[in-house]
Amino acid sequence: MLTSLALIFLPGLAMAAVCQRLKLPRIIGMLISGIVLGPYVLNLLDPSILGISADLRQMALIIILLKAGLSLNLSDLKKVGRPAVLLSFVPASFEILAYVLFAPSLLGITRVEAAVMGAVLGAVSPAVVIPRMVQLMDEKYGTEQSIPQMILAGASCDDVFVIVLFTTFVGMAQGGRASAADFINIPVSILLGVALGAAMGFFLSLFFETAYIKEHYVRNSMKIIIVLGVSFLLIAAEDWLEGTLAISGLLAVVSMACMLKIKSNPSVSKRLSEKLGKLWLAAEVVLFVLVGAAVDIRYTVEAGAMAAAMIFLALAVRGIGVVICMLGTRLNRKERVFCIIAYLPKATVQAAIGSVPLSLGLPCGKIVLSVAVLAIIITAPLGALGMDATYKRLLKKTET
């Protein structure tokens, strides 16, 4: 396992540095490194690492979600409440609709199978989008119109909506049917996630403050460990309550960080955010190298040109959904174009659930996995490169 960790960090960082020198996003180098080291090319990573890959990726995602929550300005987010809510489900719905309408004729699958494919492909990747939104907030690009906050909030909810739909459509493909409870669980999981996270953040802030008053000062490093431990429990609670109560663990983590920022001294929340930023330097490599390792490059050849055409067609329809979410806002044309670019990347969810239809024995399993792999390879670099190359031209920097 130690050898595998060395292979994750050293080639991952080296490839990231090469891409940075070529004016490409670092994530591309990490993804390529993961694909090459993974079980489908050189197979150099230990099976024990691959066995806990999903957990390691989730831990890395938690770190950046905590930093995002500590960077969010809730007063700014209130200004864009409506479009943020719309971004959590409208673009994904448009993309799923595109697959339902066009995939049967382009890829030769049924409508229900197309819905399953759309649900796999519909989610934006928080692992790609959220770090960049945090960077924009730190650099003050687009913050006057609260664009990073809006995209961050929408991308955090987007996955919840899509995964619930995926479960529903898979059940239909297996011969079942959708129930009203499946769709009711979407807003329930979002609201309960936010409420649980806010409650935990409030109690943590009280604990840190009480410890300080009683002269048992909790160091910031220790606070980070405690906050991470609680975050892991919030994510685990989603699995514990599955089938009993719908709750979004990722939203609970963001909500807890937001509450900590509200209730804590500004200098404390700033230092916590800085320490999480340092942790992210390592977590980022682990996340994207392991996402790359989960990609079976063999399926891209089988996907073919029609699959690539379907992906770009669905992205175009998704862009229309993003534009509709922006109606009635004060965003100019350049800022709306940036929002469309920010909603392009696929990676995390597709790597996690792309193989599920195949493992369940669905007839569409192989083509769904092929399109999911191809979508990661196309859209993750496209979205990351698009955001990195355009944000300074499309967004206005707020002068402090």
Side-chain angles (χ1 to χ4, degrees):
M1 184 180 284
L2 291 177
T3 303
S4 295
L5 287 173
L7 288 174
I8 288 171
F9 283 112
L10 300 179
L13 287 171
M15 287 297 294
V18 169
C19 286
Q20 194 170 23
R21 290 293 298 270
L22 296 174
K23 306 299 181 183
L24 295 172
R26 290 164 54 84
I27 174 184
I28 297 176
M30 296 175 198
L31 286 172
I32 292 172
S33 178
I35 291 171
V36 173
L37 293 171
Y40 307 109
V41 182
L42 296 181
N43 194 23
L44 295 177
L45 298 180
D46 194 292
S48 58
I49 281 282
L50 298 175
I52 59 171
S53 171
D55 296 315
L56 292 174
R57 282 182 278 152
Q58 202 162 45
M59 290 168 64
L61 191 56
I62 286 170
I63 290 172
I64 195 59
L65 285 171
L66 286 170
K67 180 165 173 54
L70 288 168
S71 303
L72 269 177
N73 189 324
L74 292 184
S75 61
D76 288 344
L77 191 56
K78 289 177 183 177
K79 300 176 187 175
V80 289
R82 180 187 61 82
V85 171
L86 292 177
L87 282 171
S88 66
F89 70 93
V90 171
S93 298
F94 270 65
E95 185 163 5
I96 293 171
L97 180 61
Y99 279 97
V100 171
L101 292 177
F102 303 114
S105 58
L106 289 176
L107 303 176
I109 57 179
T110 67
R111 296 286 180 194
V112 174
E113 290 171 341
V116 172
M117 181 181 289
V120 171
L121 275 295
V124 70
S125 173
V128 179
V129 174
I130 290 174
R132 277 157 180 78
M133 295 308 106
V134 174
Q135 178 187 342
L136 294 186
M137 286 188 284
D138 290 342
E139 296 182 15
K140 305 298 182 185
Y141 277 96
T143 51
E144 187 175 333
Q145 298 283 16
S146 304
I147 293 169
Q149 296 92 323
M150 176 181 67
I151 295 173
L152 191 153
S156 300
C157 299
D158 174 275
D159 292 354
V160 178
F161 173 72
V162 169
I163 289 172
V164 172
L165 288 184
F166 171 73
T167 306
T168 303
F169 293 145
V170 165
M172 293 171 65
Q174 290 177 311
R177 58 181 183 179
S179 65
D182 294 327
F183 295 98
I184 292 172
N185 280 339
I186 297 171
V188 169
S189 64
I190 291 172
L191 292 173
L192 286 180
V194 171
L196 178 61
M200 293 305 299
F202 179 76
F203 286 124
L204 278 179
S205 64
L206 281 181
F207 169 71
F208 294 149
E209 184 180 348
T210 304
Y212 180 78
I213 291 173
K214 293 183 178 181
E215 297 182 354
H216 296 289
Y217 179 68
V218 181
R219 294 171 60 89
N220 287 324
S221 300
M222 189 62 68
K223 288 177 183 176
I224 287 292
I225 296 173
I226 294 171
V227 169
L228 283 173
V230 174
S231 300
F232 297 156
L233 285 177
L234 289 175
I235 296 294
E238 183 175 351
D239 295 327
W240 297 339
L241 298 172
E242 187 176 359
T244 305
L245 193 64
I247 186 168
S248 170
L250 293 181
L251 282 179
V253 171
V254 176
S255 177
M256 179 182 70
C258 288
M259 183 59 71
L260 276 173
K261 180 178 181 179
I262 293 171
K263 293 296 181 180
S264 301
N265 186 292
S267 63
V268 172
S269 61
K270 183 181 178 183
R271 288 186 180 182
L272 291 179
S273 180
E274 289 172 352
K275 287 186 177 293
L276 285 167
K278 293 174 182 177
L279 280 177
W280 173 244
L281 294 174
E284 179 186 33
V285 183
V286 173
L287 176 60
F288 290 116
V289 171
L290 290 179
V291 165
V295 171
D296 189 343
I297 197 72
R298 296 171 300 178
Y299 282 104
T300 59
V301 178
E302 299 177 16
M306 295 306 289
M310 182 65 243
I311 291 168
F312 282 109
L313 178 59
L315 289 177
V317 176
R318 182 185 185 87
I320 296 171
V322 175
V323 170
I324 290 174
C325 296
M326 301 296 107
L327 294 176
T329 66
R330 296 181 298 167
L331 273 61
N332 59 39
R333 184 177 298 177
K334 289 183 177 181
E335 291 165 338
R336 296 182 191 209
V337 169
F338 180 82
C339 292
I340 294 173
I341 295 171
Y343 256 64
L344 293 179
K346 321 283 182 187
T348 324
V349 174
Q350 289 71 31
I353 66 175
S355 61
V356 171
L358 182 62
S359 65
L360 294 175
L362 294 180
C364 63
K366 197 167 185 178
I367 185 64
V368 168
L369 180 56
S370 300
V371 177
V373 169
L374 189 60
I376 294 172
I377 292 171
I378 291 173
T379 65
L382 182 65
L385 182 60
M387 284 185 280
D388 290 347
T390 63
Y391 76 92
K392 291 184 178 180
R393 287 181 288 172
L394 298 180
L395 302 180
K396 181 182 178 183
K397 185 172 183 177
T398 302
E399 300 297 335
T400 56

